[in-house]
Amino acid sequence: MDLKRDDGLTRPTGSSGGGFLERTFALSAHGTTIRTELLAGLTTFLTMAYIVFVNPNILGDAGMPKGAVFVATCLVAAIGSLVMAFYANYPIALAPGMGLNAYFAYVVVLQMGYTWQAALGAVFISGLCFMAVTLTGLRRIIVDGIPRSMRIAITVGIGLFLAIIALKSAGVVAASPATFVTLGDLHKPSAVLAVLGFLIVAVLSVRKIRGALLAGILTVTALSFIVADNTFQGVASLPPSIAPTLFALDIKGALSGGLLNVILVFFLVELFDATGTLMGVANRAGLLTQGKMERLDKALMADSSSIFVGSLLGTSSTTAYLESASGVEEGGRTGLTAATVAVLFLACLFFAPLAGSVPAYATAPALFYVACLMLHELVDLDWDDLTEVLPACVTALLMPFTYSIANGVAFGFITYAVIKLLTGRFREVKPVVWVIAAVFLFKFVATGSAH
């Protein structure tokens, strides 16, 4: 006799063995074992552990206390991964997302001048919006309404945005009054170490060695004590206080400070990034049924709830990590993989001194490597259709050149709507695109800026 489970799987009633982990994660039904899931979790953790070093550095540039951000990063990664594990039962881990943390720090706070507390309020509101569209079923309408070319463009544009931030942090590029940007001073130890770090990450990744990004960060950090006058702060200690960022978000400031476009950008990127990553990893794990995720809404609820929990703790938007695919390659098929990642992130709480010793130029190679991988999406554009390609290119190129993800998204959607309209192909444009384009156009007309 078969027993129907709420995870969409069917298995024999006598196959569980009665263990807690078997009952919770349906290991035998997924064709996996505890040992395989634990090893898969360790593999996923090693490929994404760089975030505990990178995130405090990026948000620290926005004036946030690095120690508190470090704790918030570890906690929200653990909480989000546990929710994914026990509620959705997928081998997908969560942590603060790359790209949006840079947008949070360098655009919303440093360029636009909002406080980091108000920016956290914007993240909180975007998380609530994400949860609302998931619960009401609007998510599918929005995702289906946004052209695939624009989704690709947003990913690529964020990659280019990350790239210029990484190169600046590494000292490889510098400001120039004549050409805006130029080559930096490559004789500086920080620039040399950053280049070396990128080569280490690249070579280890090509050789398929797990934890390549983490290895690059730690190697450059170790060398910085020798050749770049870095100060060693220790390896392990009790976690620093999270009090400076805990519940420090300013929701009122987010609502009254003209942050509507910021919230919209957070929401759109979170939605597309989460949906794309979840579907991609589930596909590689063989967990799709007729091309669909049986528990996609549960997975998206885990993602959206993690976003506003992270904003309460004190970090930028949390999302599902594509690095989870590395654990899937090692055989991870259930939430036990994600639960293992969560436990390892909790263990990271005791390594705050090591995280505090990591300079920005040590994390820059990891940023640049992630940026390079994000450009891969360009191959999926339909290059024979200029009405799709041109708006996508506008979106991607304006993000780094205006130093703003919001500007890229705004110009991209407006360009898409106008080109489709003037070429007689306006029927191809879904209502949600017209709405988004109109919002951004009104903002430009009213203020002269997408900000």
Side-chain angles (χ1 to χ4, degrees), residues 204-379:
L204 292 181
S205 298
V206 170
R207 292 182 174 274
K208 301 188 182 303
I209 295 176
R210 305 299 183 191
L213 277 74
L214 185 61
I217 291 173
L218 295 179
T219 300
V220 171
T221 300
L223 292 174
S224 70
F225 299 125
I226 302 172
V227 300
D229 298 324
N230 192 12
T231 302
F232 183 62
Q233 301 179 26
V235 176
S237 71
L238 291 176
S241 173
I242 195 177
T245 60
L246 184 65
F247 304 126
L249 71 167
D250 181 5
I251 299 175
K252 184 178 180 181
L255 290 173
S256 62
L259 284 171
L260 173 62
N261 284 3
V262 171
I263 294 170
L264 179 60
V265 169
F266 276 138
F267 168 73
L268 289 176
V269 176
E270 288 161 359
L271 182 61
F272 300 148
D273 190 40
T275 304
T277 298
L278 290 169
M279 293 291 290
V281 176
N283 183 49
R284 294 183 70 169
L287 297 175
L288 297 184
T289 302
Q290 295 180 341
K292 297 180 180 180
M293 289 180 69
E294 294 286 346
R295 305 178 303 284
L296 176 59
D297 284 345
K298 285 189 174 184
L300 288 171
M301 283 295 293
D303 200 300
S304 58
S305 61
S306 298
I307 292 170
F308 69 79
V309 168
S311 68
L312 295 175
L313 295 174
T315 183
S316 53
S317 303
T318 302
T319 189
Y321 259 58
L322 192 57
E323 284 85 347
S324 301
S326 63
V328 166
E329 295 295 330
E330 292 296 318
R333 293 295 182 271
T334 75
L336 182 54
T337 293
T340 302
V341 174
V343 171
L344 291 171
F345 269 113
L346 289 176
C348 279
L349 285 169
F350 299 94
F351 294 92
L354 179 61
S357 301
V358 177
Y361 56 82
T363 57
L367 276 177
F368 194 66
Y369 176 79
V370 171
C372 291
L373 295 186
M374 293 174 78
L375 301 186
H376 175 267
E377 300 291 326
L378 282 170
V379 302

Side-chain angles (χ1 to χ4, degrees), residues 393-405 407-408 411-412:
C393 291
V394 167
T395 302
L397 291 173
L398 260 66
M399 286 188 192
F401 289 141
T402 64
Y403 217 70
S404 170
I405 294 174
N407 283 336
F411 277 105

Side-chain angles (χ1 to χ4, degrees), residues 13-303:
T13 53
S15 66
S16 68
F20 170 75
L21 295 180
E22 173 61 43
R23 293 195 306 272
T24 303
F25 300 112
L27 300 177
S28 60
H30 287 88
T32 186
T33 64
I34 294 175
R35 179 179 181 277
T36 298
E37 295 292 301
L38 295 179
L39 288 176
L42 175 61
T43 300
T44 295
F45 172 77
L46 289 176
T47 60
M48 61 184 290
Y50 66 88
I51 194 62
V52 302
F53 303 112
V54 176
N55 205 47
N57 268 339
I58 291 178
L59 299 188
D61 287 344
M64 297 185 70
K66 289 187 178 182
V69 173
F70 169 80
V71 175
T73 301
C74 294
L75 286 179
V76 76
I79 293 170
S81 298
L82 284 174
V83 174
M84 182 68 74
F86 289 96
Y87 182 60
N89 195 21
Y90 280 119
I92 300 172
L94 293 89
M98 298 296 295
L100 284 179
N101 53 3
Y103 175 62
F104 179 107
Y106 300 114
V107 178
V108 180
V109 177
L110 295 179
Q111 186 180 17
M112 297 169 63
Y114 293 104
T115 65
W116 59 262
Q117 292 90 342
L120 285 177
V123 172
F124 178 85
I125 296 169
S126 71
L128 289 180
C129 293
F130 191 171
M131 178 173 289
V133 299
T134 300
L135 288 172
T136 60
L138 289 174
R139 175 197 60 80
R140 183 170 299 279
I141 296 175
I142 296 173
V143 171
D144 291 344
I146 303 298
R148 187 163 179 266
S149 61
M150 293 303 295
R151 281 181 267 172
I152 292 170
I154 290 172
T155 300
V156 172
I158 291 175
L160 293 172
F161 185 62
L162 281 179
I164 196 168
I165 290 171
L167 293 172
K168 178 177 176 290
S169 297
V172 176
V173 300
S176 167
T179 61
F180 292 106
V181 292
T182 188
L183 189 66
D185 184 359
L186 299 184
H187 292 95
K188 289 184 177 179
S190 56
V192 174
L193 289 177
V195 172
L196 176 63
F198 176 74
L199 293 175
I200 291 172
V201 171
V203 171
L204 292 181
S205 298
V206 170
R207 292 182 174 274
K208 301 188 182 303
I209 295 176
R210 305 299 183 191
L213 277 74
L214 185 61
I217 291 173
L218 295 179
T219 300
V220 171
T221 300
L223 292 174
S224 70
F225 299 125
I226 302 172
V227 300
D229 298 324
N230 192 12
T231 302
F232 183 62
Q233 301 179 26
V235 176
S237 71
L238 291 176
S241 173
I242 195 177
T245 60
L246 184 65
F247 304 126
L249 71 167
D250 181 5
I251 299 175
K252 184 178 180 181
L255 290 173
S256 62
L259 284 171
L260 173 62
N261 284 3
V262 171
I263 294 170
L264 179 60
V265 169
F266 276 138
F267 168 73
L268 289 176
V269 176
E270 288 161 359
L271 182 61
F272 300 148
D273 190 40
T275 304
T277 298
L278 290 169
M279 293 291 290
V281 176
N283 183 49
R284 294 183 70 169
L287 297 175
L288 297 184
T289 302
Q290 295 180 341
K292 297 180 180 180
M293 289 180 69
E294 294 286 346
R295 305 178 303 284
L296 176 59
D297 284 345
K298 285 189 174 184
L300 288 171
M301 283 295 293
D303 200 300

